[in-house]
Amino acid sequence: MTTIDVAVPAALESTDVEALRRLLPQLSRSAAFDEERLVAMVGHPGTDLFLARIDGEVVGMATLASFPLPTGWCGHVDDVVVDDAHRGRGIARKLLEAIIDLAEQRGLRTLDLTSRPSRAAAIALYESVGFVRRDSTLMRYAGRPASRTDLTAERAHR
């Protein structure tokens, strides 16, 4: 049986960086790889990068962001991805279990994550480790809407 090791590295080795460069496009087609951002993230006190390894090779990752709010310490899980060649072997489950363990140790009041509705297998996994669906609307800031003055000026120039 293959052993899956999950840990939060104190620093990234060059082999970790290359593995993350390989994983990122499997997570998001639009995300740009930025080594400086990864180094900053690993050094940031509110962010934990979990790496899953098999025989020393990075085969998956996930991120826990922890932060204080007036209502208590909260956490958010992001960027959960397992290399295509290693999916279906329980790696994502191990990553999530490690994140949940750390969140519980820290006493986080909430631990949230988001997922596209089309990711049925991922959603089933999240539910199987204790996440529940919430009746909520996810909003993302997309920039300031044009003000009425801007619209009026734009129409006048047509």
Side-chain angles (χ1 to χ4, degrees):
M1 183 166 156
T2 304
T3 301
I4 303 163
D5 298 308
V6 176
V8 176
L12 294 175
E13 302 292 330
S14 61
T15 54
D16 297 338
V17 172
E18 289 311 308
L20 296 174
R21 183 186 307 272
R22 185 183 74 250
L23 285 172
L24 192 60
Q26 296 177 52
L27 175 67
S28 168
R29 285 180 248 129
S30 63
F33 180 82
D34 182 337
E35 185 173 345
E36 285 184 31
R37 183 177 57 237
L38 288 174
V39 170
M41 183 182 82
V42 169
H44 191 280
T47 308
D48 296 285
L49 174 65
F50 289 75
L51 297 180
R53 299 175 194 271
I54 295 177
D55 297 328
E57 175 192 0
V58 175
V59 295
M61 71 172 188
T63 306
L64 170 63
S66 303
F67 46 92
L69 294 176
T71 55
W73 279 87
C74 300
H76 200 277
V77 179
D78 284 290
D79 297 346
V80 179
V81 63
V82 172
D83 190 292
D84 287 333
H86 295 278
R87 290 190 181 159
R89 297 168 70 180
I91 296 167
R93 177 178 300 280
K94 290 276 194 188
L95 286 162
L96 291 167
E97 289 170 345
I99 287 174
I100 291 165
D101 287 347
L102 184 57
E104 289 175 346
Q105 288 171 23
R106 288 184 177 163
L108 300 185
R109 189 177 76 75
T110 61
L111 182 61
D112 294 320
L113 62 76
T114 60
S115 185
R116 288 188 303 276
S118 63
R119 299 186 66 228
I123 292 168
L125 171 63
Y126 302 148
E127 290 175 333
S128 76
V129 296
F131 286 89
V132 295
R133 296 175 196 229
R134 294 184 60 196
D135 185 19
S136 179
T137 300
L138 176 64
M139 306 290 288
R140 176 171 288 165
Y141 180 72
R144 295 185 187 275
S147 69
R148 290 187 182 268
T149 312
D150 293 340
L151 291 173
T152 303
E154 182 182 315
R155 288 183 187 129
H157 285 73
R158 287 188 192 166

